[in-house]
Amino acid sequence: MAGDAREALLDRCVNLLKEGGFSQLSLREIASGAGTSHRMLLYHFGSREGLLTEVVRRVEAEQRAALADLAAELDDPVEVSRRFWRRLADPALAPAERLFFEIYAHALFDKSWTDSFRASVIAAWAGPVEELFTHFGWAGPEARRRARLSLAATRGLLLDLLITGDRDVLDAAAELFAELITAPPPTGA
Amino acid sequence: MAGDAREALLDRCVNLLKEGGFSQLSLREIASGAGTSHRMLLYHFGSREGLLTEVVRRVEAEQRAALADLAAELDDPVEVSRRFWRRLADPALAPAERLFFEIYAHALFDKSWTDSFRASVIAAWAGPVEELFTHFGWAGPEARRRARLSLAATRGLLLDLLITGDRDVLDAAAELFAELITAPPPTGA
DNA sequence: TAATTCATGTACCAGATGGTACATGCGATT
DNA sequence: AATCGCATGTACCATCTGGTACATGAATTA
């Protein structure tokens, strides 16, 4: 297939950027780190921005994939919430998440190559999580705000974990949140 | 005084960077945006990194200052928590906060000029907030995790607000959190 | 096998980059 | 009034930047 090599190349670039970020990496540095030439990056992606656009799309897709099987088994709410955190706090994901937050920061300044990211970073998650709360018995706006708060708290905890590495306190904090957010069942236990 | 001009210059740089971020601004662009020459920036700060170090220090100081008078009146916990959010969600602070998160992202990759930031971004807040929870009756580790969770949730909500602007939902989510985190008073109402 | 397309290398470009050398103005101290 | 140190301007530097032009191999197709 044609775009096969391109995809493999993108893979290697994304993996590279997960290690050290992209903001101060030149096209040539990215290329050499990914085992190719800056000429090839331009051939496949048109420009540095074109490459970053694809990188962002990829990270966004990984995000979606991570969400997909998260609510697979819908047992009790606290357990779902715990799974949520346990999954994200996995050290193996740290590089990907650092890259995620770096893109997030650039998106705050409306960089045009972050368009797809901005569109999905909240929306793609808020919907499903809201449905989850609905499923567990919270109605309409109450489910919405609970979903939004869950998303925010989780990301905040993750950001803290990534920068301090204080896993114990943050695991405890995440556990507390799981209990708090699901605590008073709306219709009664 | 001597370093007076330098301080004023730093002021103008920080204000400029609040608007569009710094990651892709060259020394010359920063200089011209701040109404000076790149020569002057190098004169006062030694290098681009030197400048960024000072910028980071400044943003970190602003952070501390914002914290200072926050817990001034210690009435009831929910109200303190509300004040916390109302203060941070002020649209006038948005540019400063975007810059804050941009620095945060760079700190995730251990850029050396973010040292002071990394050291204080959590520590400077966790302590005081923990004391607050202690003051309201939660003991030791419980106060600690509650403080950490509060910090995380607030920052997560802020990050969401900055990128979506969905003020209504997020105000509602923040209100919910204020209620949840302070809800079951440990020793009784 | 001839033609065409895709992938890749080499060489180059104009412009910007961070940083330096050196001159010079301008206010205070003497 | 001469001197001295801080502040600032001009000019320059080697290096790197994203991007392009052009050649050429290596398949695929006709």
Side-chain angles (χ1 to χ4, degrees):
Chain A
M1 251 296 151
D4 227 21
R6 181 188 134 117
E7 212 60 15
L9 195 51
L10 182 55
D11 256 0
R12 271 180 287 150
C13 287
V14 171
N15 284 334
L16 173 75
L17 299 191
K18 280 178 184 169
E19 295 312 314
F22 56 87
S23 346
Q24 103 247 20
L25 249 46
S26 76
L27 213 45
R28 285 164 156 95
E29 287 166 327
I30 297 174
S32 107
T36 182
S37 66
H38 89 291
R39 174 66 181 73
M40 277 301 100
L41 257 25
L42 288 168
Y43 175 71
H44 284 295
F45 304 101
S47 67
R48 194 187 121 108
E49 285 221 344
L51 170 62
L52 291 185
T53 306
E54 292 302 306
V55 169
V56 166
R57 238 196 278 282
R58 173 66 64 96
V59 171
E60 182 213 339
E62 280 179 19
Q63 214 186 208
R64 261 182 230 273
L67 175 64
D69 61 340
L70 196 71
E73 308 154 41
L74 298 167
D75 25 47
D76 83 302
V78 197
E79 202 46 49
V80 173
S81 188
R82 282 193 190 115
R83 257 207 310 271
F84 205 31
W85 172 250
R86 233 179 283 130
R87 171 80 63 95
L88 289 174
D90 180 351
L93 292 184
E97 283 154 354
R98 269 182 266 139
L99 182 56
F100 170 84
F101 282 114
E102 189 184 18
I103 295 174
Y104 208 136
H106 283 258
L108 290 178
F109 291 102
D110 284 310
K111 302 283 179 352
S112 64
W113 45 271
T114 62
D115 284 350
S116 72
F117 185 89
R118 264 203 312 283
S120 84
V121 65
I122 298 294
W125 289 79
V129 176
E130 183 179 336
E131 266 174 46
L132 232 104
F133 277 102
T134 307
H135 171 85
F136 285 123
W138 278 277
E142 185 59 27
R144 196 165 316 128
R145 93 216 266 226
R146 282 185 123 86
R148 216 57 179 266
L149 177 58
S150 299
L151 214 55
T154 308
R155 288 193 176 153
L157 287 169
L158 190 52
L159 209 42
D160 185 332
L161 177 63
L162 288 172
I163 212 154
T164 64
D166 298 344
R167 195 167 290 273
D168 292 348
V169 202
L170 293 166
D171 278 349
E175 172 63 25
L176 171 62
F177 183 75
E179 289 160 15
L180 289 181
I181 196 66
T182 55
T187 53
Chain B
M1 254 294 151
D4 226 21
R6 182 187 134 116
E7 212 61 14
L9 196 50
L10 180 56
D11 256 0
R12 272 180 286 151
C13 287
V14 171
N15 284 334
L16 173 75
L17 299 191
K18 281 178 184 168
E19 295 312 315
F22 56 88
S23 347
Q24 104 246 18
L25 250 44
S26 76
L27 213 47
R28 286 164 155 94
E29 287 166 328
I30 297 173
S32 106
T36 182
S37 66
H38 90 290
R39 176 64 182 73
M40 276 303 99
L41 255 28
L42 288 168
Y43 175 71
H44 284 295
F45 304 101
S47 68
R48 194 187 121 108
E49 286 220 345
L51 171 61
L52 291 185
T53 305
E54 292 302 305
V55 168
V56 165
R57 235 195 280 281
R58 174 66 64 96
V59 170
E60 181 214 341
E62 280 179 17
Q63 214 186 209
R64 260 182 231 272
L67 175 66
D69 60 340
L70 196 70
E73 308 156 41
L74 299 168
D75 25 46
D76 82 302
V78 198
E79 201 47 48
V80 172
S81 188
R82 282 193 189 116
R83 256 206 311 270
F84 205 30
W85 172 252
R86 231 179 284 132
R87 169 80 63 97
L88 288 175
D90 179 351
L93 292 184
E97 283 155 354
R98 268 182 267 140
L99 182 56
F100 170 84
F101 282 114
E102 191 185 16
I103 294 174
Y104 208 135
H106 283 257
L108 289 178
F109 292 102
D110 284 311
K111 303 283 180 348
S112 63
W113 44 271
T114 62
D115 284 349
S116 72
F117 185 88
R118 265 201 313 285
S120 84
V121 65
I122 298 293
W125 289 78
V129 176
E130 183 180 335
E131 266 175 47
L132 230 103
F133 277 101
T134 306
H135 171 85
F136 285 123
W138 279 277
E142 184 59 26
R144 196 166 315 128
R145 94 217 264 225
R146 282 186 124 88
R148 217 57 179 264
L149 178 57
S150 299
L151 214 55
T154 308
R155 286 191 178 155
L157 288 168
L158 191 51
L159 210 42
D160 185 333
L161 177 62
L162 288 173
I163 211 157
T164 65
D166 299 344
R167 194 165 290 271
D168 292 350
V169 202
L170 294 166
D171 278 350
E175 171 63 25
L176 171 62
F177 183 75
E179 289 160 15
L180 290 181
I181 196 67
T182 55
T187 55

